[in-house]
């Protein structure tokens, strides 16, 4: 271990400001773990933070990135949850262990890595030990790094709150990270999965991953298609990642007593929809803020039990971070990961 | 019992068409009960059906009215749930016994009295025995007639789905039937109740009924007032009866992991709100379509146990139905009831 | 269709009294369906009814059998849920549609086919249309006949009430019908399954069906083995089919906040267990009385979605019913079915 | 603050060894709070620990007592949840914040004050800040000290897990602390409460506190009495504090789909009951290990909202601890509290 490490950081808001620089390796304070970062999974949210700051109290120089897998390098005084050499991943909502997060109606919780707190696009990070969870043994570091935000958001939506059962239907929109985790987690619980996309080629790849029903939303009205393929029944669970008036489409497509999990970081925008079917179907719409640590532990255990392999579109080296963000702009099939080590 | 009865009916959509006329007393078919109507509680929905038809398949001459209490006059072949002489109330969602109602995502359930099925503003009605529930012994007929729609909607929202606990906060908007049942049911479960209204006089009357916190929404921003009186925590449950952009206010006012129950018959209109707090608070928004028969039985048992007395603003005679609808236009404090007998 | 049919019946309690005889084909009354029985799945309970009557109000001549699949032959007046030619299965708890069954604490519900009501070991049966559910298209009649009691009991335990999630552990005892449905339903939801048995050969067959962990309970203490294979964690769900003091073993083997579903028809016997771990683990023990019709519909949908094939040890002809019961005495691997048609 | 404080402690297991002695006032370590104890509520468990050790790893000299209210005297480094001068109560399950407690199936959680950890019958205690909750403003210290074990156990049983609704029935056994909290919490949620006791005088006092139905169990079979007063329906929730074969009585007395919450510290003993009604009623039996910190916070908020005043049979001075334990032996009406200050 040397005294200096490399990290990506900005000195001011703006993606053009992103640069690779050197900084001291952090010292783990009491209760903290120093972790050697092995892989960082990029999220759309990281882009928004770089480009707009998202209203967050960024401290410059600011390293972006919220999702990582790595290996404990050292433990601060009193930190006993993990030992040096153990592989860990972060939980996005720092310190949310279970149940309700901290915060108030006026000031909702947003204690997030790569925002309120420093990000993880660095060779080392030091955080309180409570922010880490054991990485699943069945995944390599790049794969494991995709669980904390994208994977856990889907798990929280469909399983922790959604109580998904075999035989129910799940609809995912597109073929990005949320959609493909939705496909994999739903199939692992025996559900039927409908994928909507504007690309026949991506739909074909989703089918190879187990999708039951494919809808090309550029060729037909997807709500009508849902009615057609479900004999008018509608779908039980929708992962809504688009927002805006698209929520109205989801409200139309859902079954009696169906659930719509609203996912995303489209802060500042509106959702809207028709009140008639909302009432008459007794729908539930729930906003999903990723998830808590116990949920991530449950999800990690499930990943091992079912042999789930996250879909990574491309792995980039630490030096290729700008290219990785460019790929994110183009809309990957699954996840984009930066391998740090 | 004579062969003819009086009833209020329309021959075509339009409130001006409402007239008192004579019709044969219906014969109870196999499995049906003939019920002597004692009281009919009016709902805003009855007005909409008269004025617009609400897109429902009305059969003319059509009698409006969905909520009633009465006494079994005769039982059709095989009808054994109730005996002549027993007091009953109707369940609004005809045939929805428990769990999920019938219907599909494309064609949601709307098997309602006073719409899909004939209404109850008549001296007698005959319906399948499954559509009735025993009236609570602790209420007179006028009071009992207010339970099936207004009372049950609140019960479904706060108790059946909401799991209300003592110490939680509930916010009701205005002082109509939904709001006052919300106040009474919430207080009976040990909750703190916030009432918003534009009238200090109505707020004072709500306070006399047990309201803990009063907000005059014409004098201050009610969301800011909620933050003030809850030390920024927000409210746990909101009964949302306004719709439209008001949902956005509810989203702002609610606590972490709070619930908004969307109530009403504003079919055709939109609801909208900000996605940021929806996500960051992990909110649940649920559309409430009144409730099922088991819920009405549970609610009836609760009404007896807690001695709940529905708030009736004014009782009208059967001849005064037009005046009763006029009162509904002006916004009553609680419920308007027509006494038929 | 002739006027007479064959059926197995007893004239008095006692298995030796079971004889094949002729009886008139029943007429479907209003609201009933006449169904041509194609297959009957035998349950341990059928044996107990024959041998002891189980305290039920049997009407002689009494036909045993509670589980069947068949084809609608005719519909009584007003029966519209199914048309002649459609394939159906029965729901064991006659008339329990959803939520809570009828009955009281003093007189619990036991409106069962092949007990309170006539059984199904006949060429035709006529029952109210509400007692039937559509048979899954993916199963033949013999397979479909195993769902109503054995399959649904497991579904109710693990899914309807148990909310099973991928990554959790399920323990099943033995390799009979309940155990193998438990194995299959649990695997379809991504769970890890532990099977205990006294036979290495049966354990090997369970492994071939997907069991993750095998414990030969005649070779080691199964509770200690559970601790060993779960790193002391214990199991999340146990299907308890033995009763008596075995419940105490289940209480010891279960994880923190685990669930024990008590299944069986060991009426008149006791269960017992240590109160210490019951308290300290915050366990839930729930008695499972098969399930309701909506659950059977959900389960049927799941069977089709996941391609579940019930394990049938042996199929017998209608004439071989005594041999089929003898096989039941010996403890089959999965289910025993009588093919009637 | 002086350097020495008084405390009650034993040097070896045995109630006769309990003596008042002096000890250094503890220093709050990093993350700890030093609290000036104002009141200690005694529990039956404290007696068992003194008399038998209950198999716990007691460190001598050992101070008994698990429930207290007091005032923060000083905060260790980094402890920020409470400030000196704020009134706090302890949570019995040290460090259980929400959801599932730590521990395994083999080694269940039992990180309890006054057992695994030192007790609170002292003028000062120092514990991690996470073990404390704000005391309700509406209660004095003696009243507040009764919430952490007795009150929270009931809250967890009936509300957190039980989802109690108005109109349901709750049965409590006797008139000790658990029973009277059960009565008060159930009434605050609109339930009907049945109290069983062997003393007409105590039943009369329970009636004055709001009990709806009184059963003198020495004069009649209490299960038959329950059937009589509920028209055979049975009760929805039973707080089972006796254990042993009494569980069987509770299984008989409960309604369809009822709940039995098993409470107590009768470690080492058995519970038993008949499997027939367990199955046929679809009962849930749950072991209750007091509760988590978030539950205690919810309960505290409820206590303030509903104005709940714990029933204290008698308050003793710090010097009178032996007399207080003697009173506990005799079975108090409600709680026994030692005022320390």
């Amino acid at each position: 271990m040397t005294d200096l490490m490399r990290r990506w950081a900005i000195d001011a808001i703006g993606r053009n400001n992103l640069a690779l620089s050197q900084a001291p390796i952090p010292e783990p304070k009491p209760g903290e773990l120093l972790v050697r970062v092995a892989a960082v999974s990029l999220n759309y949210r990281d882009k928004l933070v770089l480009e707009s700051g998202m209203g967050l109290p960024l401290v410059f120089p600011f390293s972006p990135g919220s999702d990582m897998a790595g290996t404990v390098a050292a433990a601060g005084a009193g930190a006993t949850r993990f030992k040096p050499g153990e592989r860990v991943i972060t939980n996005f909502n720092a310190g949310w262990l279970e149940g309700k997060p901290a915060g108030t109606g006026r000031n909702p919780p947003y204690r997030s890595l790569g925002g309120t707190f420093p990000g993880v696009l660095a060779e080392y990070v030091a955080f309180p030990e409570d922010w880490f969870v054991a990485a699943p043994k069945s995944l390599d570091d790049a794969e494991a790094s995709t669980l904390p935000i994208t994977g856990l958001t889907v798990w929280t939506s469909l399983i922790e709150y959604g109580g998904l059962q075999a035989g129910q239907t799940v609809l995912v929109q597109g073929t990005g990270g949320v959609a493909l985790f939705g496909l994999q987690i739903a199939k692992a619980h025996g559900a039927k999965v409908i994928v909507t996309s504007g690309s026949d080629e991506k739909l074909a790849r989703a089918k190879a991953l187990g999708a039951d029903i494919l809808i090309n939303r550029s060729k037909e009205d997807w709500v009508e298609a849902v009615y057609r393929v479900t004999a008018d029944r509608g779908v039980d669970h929708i992962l809504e990642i688009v927002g805006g008036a698209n929520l109205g489409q989801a409200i139309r497509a859902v079954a009696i007593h169906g659930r719509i999990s609203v996912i995303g970081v489209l802060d500042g925008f509106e959702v809207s929809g028709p009140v008639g079917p909302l009432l008459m179907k007794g729908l539930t719409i729930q906003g999903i803020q990723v998830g808590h640590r116990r949920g991530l532990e449950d999800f990690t255990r499930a990943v091992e039990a079912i042999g789930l392999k996250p879909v990574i579109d491309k792995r980039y080296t630490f030096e290729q971070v700008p290219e990785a963000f460019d790929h994110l702009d183009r809309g990957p099939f699954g996840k984009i990961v930066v391998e740090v080590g």
Side-chain angles (χ1 to χ4, degrees), chain A:
Chain A
M1 195 191 305
T2 67
D3 290 329
L4 291 178
M5 67 172 186
R6 294 182 303 159
R7 66 159 183 209
W8 287 91
I10 56 176
D11 280 311
I13 287 172
R15 196 157 133 193
N16 290 338
N17 299 325
L18 191 62
L20 191 54
S21 60
Q22 283 196 317
I25 293 175
E27 284 286 318
K29 295 188 204 117
E32 286 192 344
L33 297 176
L34 177 69
V35 173
R36 177 79 165 96
V37 178
V40 173
S41 163
L42 298 188
N43 292 285
Y44 187 71
R45 180 187 170 282
D46 298 323
K47 230 169 65 79
L48 293 182
V49 171
L50 282 182
E51 293 170 359
S52 75
M54 284 181 71
L56 295 166
L58 309 186
V59 175
F60 298 105
F62 171 79
S63 281
S66 313
D67 262 6
M68 64 121 248
T71 300
V72 176
T80 57
R81 273 172 55 82
F82 297 100
K83 294 197 185 71
E86 292 189 303
R87 292 173 64 233
V88 292
I89 56 179
T90 35
N91 191 30
F92 174 65
N93 289 288
W96 182 17
L97 305 188
E98 183 144 8
K100 287 190 193 179
T104 66
R106 186 196 286 272
N107 298 300
Y110 206 60
R111 298 169 41 85
S112 56
L113 305 191
T116 309
F117 299 104
V120 296
L121 265 172
E123 288 176 329
Y124 289 90
V125 295
F127 295 132
E129 63 171 346
D130 269 347
W131 302 9
F132 293 97
V133 163
K137 292 180 174 50
S138 56
L139 300 186
D140 69 21
D141 291 324
E143 292 162 341
S145 77
T146 68
L147 303 185
I149 289 187
T150 315
L152 181 58
T153 297
V154 172
W155 178 267
T156 300
S157 301
L158 294 180
I159 311 305
E160 172 83 15
Y161 297 150
L164 184 63
Q165 302 179 346
Q168 294 184 334
T169 46
V170 172
L171 184 140
V172 300
Q173 305 176 343
T175 53
V178 165
L180 296 188
F181 267 112
L183 164 55
Q184 292 175 304
I185 290 172
K187 290 308 297 176
H189 286 81
K192 294 185 77 164
V193 177
I194 302 174
V195 180
T196 67
S197 167
S199 155
D200 283 338
E201 182 260 338
K202 286 183 171 174
L203 286 172
R205 293 172 70 185
K207 187 177 175 62
L209 286 167
D212 297 279
I213 295 166
L214 312 172
I215 296 175
N216 186 323
R217 64 172 181 253
S218 64
K219 294 185 179 167
E220 60 181 327
D221 180 282
W222 70 265
V223 177
E224 284 298 319
V226 163
Y227 289 154
R228 177 169 45 76
V229 298
T230 63
D232 284 356
R233 191 170 175 279
V235 290
D236 296 304
H237 299 259
I238 295 184
L239 298 179
E240 168 61 37
I241 57 175
V242 181
N246 196 66
L247 178 64
Q249 295 294 86
I251 287 174
R252 285 186 190 91
V254 94
I256 306 292
H257 284 200
R259 281 179 65 86
I260 300 171
S261 298
V262 179
I263 293 171
V265 289
L266 308 169
D267 196 7
F269 295 104
E270 297 274 309
V271 284
S272 62
V275 77
L278 172 65
L279 288 174
M280 300 207 315
K281 298 188 196 176
L283 304 193
T284 298
I285 299 169
Q286 187 168 11
I288 304 296
Q289 177 61 335
V290 188
H292 46 56
R293 192 182 76 184
R294 203 257 304 142
L296 185 55
E297 289 168 341
D298 289 347
F299 175 44
T300 299
R301 189 180 300 119
V303 163
E304 289 184 338
I306 63 184
L308 188 153
K309 289 283 178 186
V311 179
I312 297 176
D313 190 330
K314 190 159 180 191
R315 296 168 186 232
Y316 289 87
T317 65
F318 194 49
E319 292 74 23
Q320 291 173 313
V321 162
E323 291 91 325
F325 274 110
D326 289 347
H327 193 159
L328 203 63
D329 285 337
R330 295 192 303 272
F333 185 86
K335 298 295 296 176
I336 296 296
V337 177
V338 174
E339 293 184 310
V340 179

